[in-house]
């Protein structure tokens, strides 16, 4: 095909998605079919989604459930991380098997969401030690959940129920504190640690200090922390609920520190934390209390265009760094390289033909995600894919879907790179 005037780049890799995920009394609105198709339209050809250990269940059961959700539905290739909710001798044993046999060598633990996902410090440390031995990687959601819960309780008691209080009860210090804490554990346990969805410059500072000491600490951020801010919570009525996610959007100006972190590799890459809930009926569960709004927002489709428009076009990053933070770094960190994340003989032909002049006006009316709002409604970005290939097969051509439901395959991931 003729790609003159365009760039041919490795397909995007989004290592943080939540498709078909039960949460907050409902389920994320994109499943593996609609979510991966939307990803492909945006130039992403591989995702790593989070399987969840069921409460009182085994890691195996969680992994089997996620295989069922994805198989026959996914339109692009996918891998899984495993969310560990209970650290017991038996789940520790299962972690070895997942890392060594099942191609799932990354485990996510939470210091947030007490009673749902949170595990205590001792459990985090045990899981880290085990992972240090089995060659895997620990991913951490770092916010101090118990302290946040006190602030939430106090806000509600004072009658402060609107969406903005979601942000006001999750101050940056509590993200920085948890980031510092889990990095310290990882340092003692001698395991690489990867901070997911880092949102605040105070947390970035903790990562940077650790990296300067030579610790294998890495972090990702997400487009919402680069392109949106606390001010979005002050939109009229219940509109602020669109942006209820954890960590929350931060004060304007914070994004400059994140861009600097991306430029200097204190931040390794940009994922989406795509976790969509419709405003109607889903986000509305929290009309009377921000604490009941399902946490999460859609992002899987617009990541590549937002980062080109806001990163490359503005001169904040160059085109090579763009490819690194949208694809190559994720492939290397999560054990997909060199099958994914590069254009080379022997690698999968996951390719994007990217037109730096193509404009998209983002709108819920035209996006491909199964959700009734777009956080960037009305925003125009310049730079978008025109052709997307998955393992050599054309799956997107302009606005046309050429792919097949179920084309996506599970990718067994190998050992984790720690040097990034
Ligand atoms: Zn997430």
């Amino acid at each position: 095909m003729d790609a003159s005037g365009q760039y041919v780049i490795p397909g995007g890799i989004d290592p943080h998605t939540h498709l078909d995920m039960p949460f907050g009394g409902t389920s994320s609105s994109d499943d593996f079919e609609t979510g991966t198709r939307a990803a492909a339209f945006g130039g992403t050809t591989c995702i790593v989604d989070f399987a969840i250990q069921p409460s009182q269940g085994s890691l195996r059961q969680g992994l089997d459930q996620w295989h069922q959700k994805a198989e026959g539905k996914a339109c692009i290739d996918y891998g899984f991380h495993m969310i560990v909710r209970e650290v017991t001798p038996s789940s520790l044993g299962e972690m070895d098997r997942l890392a060594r046999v099942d191609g799932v060598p990354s485990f996510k633990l939470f210091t947030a969401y007490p009673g749902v996902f949170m595990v205590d410090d001792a459990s985090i440390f045990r899981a880290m030690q085990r992972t240090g031995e089995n060659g895997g990687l620990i991913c951490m959601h770092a916010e101090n959940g118990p302290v946040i819960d006190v602030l939430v309780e106090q806000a509600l008691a004072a009658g402060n129920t609107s969406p903005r209080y979601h942000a006001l009860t999750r101050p940056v210090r509590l993200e920085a504190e948890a980031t510092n804490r889990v990095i310290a554990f990882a340092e003692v346990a001698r395991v690489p640690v990867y901070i997911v969805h880092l949102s605040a410059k105070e947390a970035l500072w903790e990562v940077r200090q650790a990296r300067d000491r030579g610790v294998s600490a890495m972090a990702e951020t997400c487009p919402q922390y680069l392109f949106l801010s606390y001010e979005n919570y002050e939109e009229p009525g219940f509109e602020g609920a669109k942006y209820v996610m954890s960590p929350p959007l931060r004060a304007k100006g914070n994004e400059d520190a994140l861009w600097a972190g991306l430029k200097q590799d204190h931040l390794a890459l940009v994922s989406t934390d795509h976790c969509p809930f419709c405003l109607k009926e889903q986000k509305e569960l929290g009309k009377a209390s921000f604490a009941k709004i399902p946490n999460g927002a859609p992002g899987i489709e617009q990541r590549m265009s937002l980062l080109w428009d806001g990163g490359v076009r503005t001169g904040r990053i160059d085109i090579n760094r763009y490819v690194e933070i949208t694809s190559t770094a994720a492939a290397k960190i999560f054990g997909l390289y060199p099958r994914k994340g590069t254009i080379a003989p022997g690698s999968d032909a996951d390719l994007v033909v990217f037109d730096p002049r193509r404009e998209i006006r983002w709108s819920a009316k035209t996006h491909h995600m199964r959700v009734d709002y777009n956080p960037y409604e009305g925003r125009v970005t310049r730079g978008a894919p025109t052709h997307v290939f998955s393992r050599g097969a054309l799956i997107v051509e302009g606005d046309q879907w050429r792919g097949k439901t179920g084309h996506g395959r599970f990718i067994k991931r190998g050992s984790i790179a720690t040097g990034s």
Side-chain angles (χ1 to χ4, degrees), residues 16 18 108 197 273:
H16 190 154
H18 299 282
K108 184 181 183 187
H197 51 44
D273 195 11

Side-chain angles (χ1 to χ4, degrees), residues 129-164:
Q129 282 184 318
R130 192 65 172 235
T131 305
E133 287 160 19
N134 67 30
L137 173 68
I138 290 287
C139 302
M140 290 296 318
H141 177 136
E143 285 183 293
N144 189 316
V147 175
I148 286 168
D149 275 5
V150 173
L151 295 173
V152 169
E153 193 186 296
Q154 291 168 350
L156 294 175
N160 297 325
T161 59
S162 66
R164 78 178 64 175

Side-chain angles (χ1 to χ4, degrees), residues 16-18 50 108 110 141 196-197 246 273-275:
H16 190 154
T17 66
H18 299 282
F50 288 90
K108 184 181 183 187
F110 291 73
H141 177 136
V196 297
H197 51 44
S246 297
D273 195 11
H274 178 74
C275 190

